């Protein structure tokens, strides 16, 4: 397995950070007792970072010391560190009692000890309310879930004083691991019934929006993180978010929610650098993995995705904002039964640049829009065509094969009228109908690049070379 470019592998940290864990998944329970007793809300543990964090843009810092290659076996180092079992702090784990206070006290104790382990043991179902687990803590902290951990069951049970935008937040931490052989159950069913985003109803109808619903797990302004081994399912909204982080290793996760669950992205990263996502299975109702502005040096490999909306860069440039994304590699990935395959989506009117994107060895099965660039992304009918756009360049598609849903062309390059997409490279792209026959040929608009090999279906609309006039593109910073 190839490491992320420019990463320095520090195996010692991985051995410490993955102490006392089993990396193999176990089957999560399919039924839980979900009648939490709301006996008042516990006090707030830390100020809640409610709004998305936007990083400044200074000079690039040196790469973090988190390792990037999960194929290295750190061995069993379960005797290191102190274990803080939440049941020793009063957690009941019967699926209905509010165990928030016990988890907070166990966190405070583990936070002060190097390589401390907060343990939610197996054979228990713990319910806790919206909580921020805040640092800084001693290095090597492990949050280990071997049982089941879940929030209150739906918006009616959600404490009024708690944030309804997020549930578990890990804030200002360094060298922390979130792991275990257990399940994070999101109890999202009752949230999905709310009109939290325009989405498909059970009979194909469109339900309106918006409203608030919580992201399940959020890492905020943290570094050198490891997330591994867990089953995460049925989130009310995004399953896992990383905001303003640096140095993230995600390995052997199982993320799942129903196909029609709205806005349930599997993994979302924003303003986050040096990320490795490996050997995970994601099935959900929105993007399998979504990459927002401010992200760079992201490596995705060995992921099975679908049903979902595919792997997306964007959406970028909303409300005329600047967006920069660079050095993204997606390799050895399977996408099946999904609305999109590999996608880049930007709003009209944005600025900035997307560059250095590689999609390599992707297997498609019954996917609409297998390969798509959409620089006219819009959620309503009122979006105008604008002069400014996010500049897209240096995008490579290599060894993309499989079958597509004939309701949409398998290749769709819709680039801005005024800011063309450049240096798109196509090699060994072979896409055949899953059922029926191709109705439309691939679509291109203002897209420039080259075909190393002939594609199936042929993509004659991709223009050779470079556009004659690039306008203000040179100032976009790619």
């Amino acid at each position: 397995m190839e490491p992320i470019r420019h990463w320095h592998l520090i195996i010692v940290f991985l051995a410490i950070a993955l102490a006392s864990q089993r990396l193999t998944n176990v089957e999560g329970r399919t039924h839980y007792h979900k009648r939490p007793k709301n006996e008042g809300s516990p006090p707030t543990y830390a100020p809640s970072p409610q709004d998305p964090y936007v990083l400044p843009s200074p000079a690039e810092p040196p790469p973090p010391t988190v390792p990037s290659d999960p194929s290295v076996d750190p061995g069993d180092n379960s005797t290191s560190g102190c274990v803080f079992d939440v049941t020793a702090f009063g957690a009941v784990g019967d699926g209905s009692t509010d165990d928030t206070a016990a988890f907070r006290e166990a966190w405070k104790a583990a936070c002060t000890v190097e390589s401390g382990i907060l343990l939610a043991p197996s054979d228990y179902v713990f319910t806790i309310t919206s909580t921020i687990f805040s640092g800084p803590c001693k290095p090597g902290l492990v949050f280990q879930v071997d049982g089941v951990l879940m929030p209150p069951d739906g918006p009616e049970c959600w404490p009024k004083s708690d944030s309804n935008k997020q549930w578990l937040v890990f804030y200002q931490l360094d060298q922390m691991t979130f792991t275990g052989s257990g399940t994070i159950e999101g109890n999202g069913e009752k949230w999905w019934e709310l009109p939290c985003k325009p989405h498909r109803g059970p009979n194909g109808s469109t339900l309106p929006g918006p409203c608030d619903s919580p992201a399940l797990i959020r890492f905020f302004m943290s570094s050198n993180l490891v997330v591994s081994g867990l089953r995460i399912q049925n989130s009310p909204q995004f399953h896992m978010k990383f905001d303003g982080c640096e140095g993230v290793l995600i390995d052997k996760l199982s993320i799942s929610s129903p196909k029609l669950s709205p806005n349930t992205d599997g993994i979302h990263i924003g303003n986050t650098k040096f990320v490795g996502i490996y050997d995970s299975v994601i099935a959900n109702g929105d993007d399998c993995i979504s990459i927002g502005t401010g992200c760079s040096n992201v490596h995705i490999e060995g992921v099975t995705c679908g049903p979902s909306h595919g792997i997306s860069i964007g959406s970028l440039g909303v409300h005329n904002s600047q967006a920069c994304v660079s050095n993204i590699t997606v390799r050895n990935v399977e996408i099946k039964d999904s609305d999109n395959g590999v996608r880049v989506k930007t709003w009209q009117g944005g600025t900035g640049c997307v560059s250095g994107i590689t999609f390599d060895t992707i297997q498609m099965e019954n996917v609409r829009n297998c390969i798509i660039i959409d620089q006219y992304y819009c959620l309503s009918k009122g979006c105008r065509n604008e002069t400014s756009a996010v500049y897209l360049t240096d995008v490579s598609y290599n060894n993309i094969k499989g079958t597509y849903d004939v309701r949409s062309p398998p290749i769709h390059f819709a680039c801005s009228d005024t800011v063309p997409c450049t240096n798109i490279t196509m090699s060994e792209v072979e896409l055949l109908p899953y059922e029926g026959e191709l109705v439309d040929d691939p679509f291109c608009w203002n897209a420039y690049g080259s075909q190393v090999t002939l594609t199936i279906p042929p993509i004659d609309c991709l223009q050779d070379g470079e556009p004659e006039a690039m306008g203000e593109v040179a100032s976009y910073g790619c």
Side-chain angles (χ1 to χ4, degrees), residues 113-454:
V113 176
E114 189 166 340
S115 300
I117 300 168
L118 183 154
L119 175 64
S122 59
D123 301 323
Y124 290 90
V125 179
F126 301 100
T127 299
I128 68 173
T129 59
S130 178
T131 303
I132 297 176
F133 295 101
S134 182
C137 295
K138 294 287 187 181
L141 177 61
V142 177
F143 193 117
Q144 181 168 328
V145 179
D146 289 338
V148 176
L149 182 59
M150 64 186 186
D153 187 13
E156 292 184 1
C157 296
W158 204 265
K160 300 300 182 184
S161 60
D162 284 1
S163 169
N164 60 356
K165 295 183 179 180
Q166 54 198 15
W167 177 50
L168 292 186
V169 180
F170 297 97
Y171 177 52
Q172 287 192 334
L173 296 163
D174 182 53
Q175 298 187 31
M176 180 238 170
T177 295
F178 187 42
T179 188
S181 59
T183 298
I184 311 296
E185 167 58 53
N187 287 341
E189 294 88 344
K190 294 179 181 178
W191 294 97
W192 302 334
E193 296 171 1
L194 299 176
C196 291
K197 181 182 179 181
H199 63 277
R200 291 168 294 181
N203 298 317
S205 60
T206 300
L207 302 179
C211 70
D212 289 330
S213 56
L216 199 62
I217 301 163
R218 183 185 183 199
F219 290 88
F220 182 57
M221 293 181 65
S222 296
S223 59
N224 300 316
L225 304 168
V226 176
V227 183
S228 67
L230 292 163
R231 177 183 296 274
I232 305 169
Q233 60 191 33
N234 299 322
S235 175
Q237 201 213 56
F238 288 19
H239 285 76
M240 183 172 290
K241 296 177 67 177
F242 295 85
D243 297 318
C245 295
E246 185 171 336
V248 177
L249 171 60
I250 299 171
D251 181 35
K252 296 183 175 64
L253 290 188
S254 171
I255 297 177
S256 64
S257 60
K259 183 177 182 179
L260 296 182
S261 56
N263 212 20
T264 53
D265 290 44
I267 299 170
H268 175 78
I269 59 174
N271 292 303
T272 294
K273 301 176 181 180
F274 301 103
V275 179
I277 303 174
Y278 299 100
D279 300 330
S280 297
V281 177
I282 304 173
N284 59 320
D286 210 304
D287 292 337
C288 171
I289 298 170
S290 54
I291 300 169
T293 187
C295 292
S296 63
N297 298 299
V298 178
H299 191 103
I300 300 167
E301 184 158 357
V303 171
T304 299
C305 174
S308 71
H309 292 183
I311 295 176
S312 292
I313 298 172
S315 60
L316 305 174
V318 66
H319 303 314
N320 300 324
S321 61
Q322 184 179 41
C324 295
V325 174
S326 62
N327 298 333
I328 312 295
T329 298
V330 180
R331 177 174 289 132
N332 295 326
V333 164
E334 179 183 3
I335 302 176
K336 54 188 179 181
D337 300 320
S338 295
D339 285 356
N340 301 287
V342 289
R343 175 168 60 161
V344 181
K345 51 182 178 176
T346 72
W347 294 78
Q348 285 282 294
T351 59
C353 180
V354 176
S355 64
I357 313 299
T358 299
F359 299 109
D360 182 14
T361 312
I362 314 291
Q363 183 67 35
M364 305 280 186
E365 180 182 338
N366 191 25
V367 175
R368 294 186 71 175
N369 303 308
C370 294
I371 296 173
I372 178 169
I373 294 172
D374 179 10
Q375 294 208 280
Y376 299 87
Y377 183 72
C378 180
L379 294 178
S380 69
K381 296 180 180 179
C383 298
R384 298 183 306 166
N385 191 1
E386 300 188 35
T387 301
S388 181
V390 177
Y391 175 40
L392 181 62
T393 188
D394 297 334
V395 185
S396 172
Y397 301 93
N398 177 61
N399 194 24
I400 316 291
K401 298 180 179 181
T403 60
Y404 62 91
D405 185 325
V406 296
R407 289 178 294 173
S408 301
I411 303 171
H412 185 98
F413 294 145
C415 300
S416 166
D417 289 343
T418 55
V419 184
C421 303
T422 64
N423 200 21
I424 297 172
T425 304
M426 310 288 288
S427 175
E428 298 184 58
V429 176
E430 300 176 8
L431 298 167
L432 302 172
Y434 180 73
E435 291 179 343
E437 297 180 359
L438 174 66
V439 176
D440 295 315
D441 292 330
F443 173 83
C444 306
W445 180 257
N446 213 14
Y448 290 78
S450 62
Q451 297 182 62
V452 178
T453 64
L454 295 177

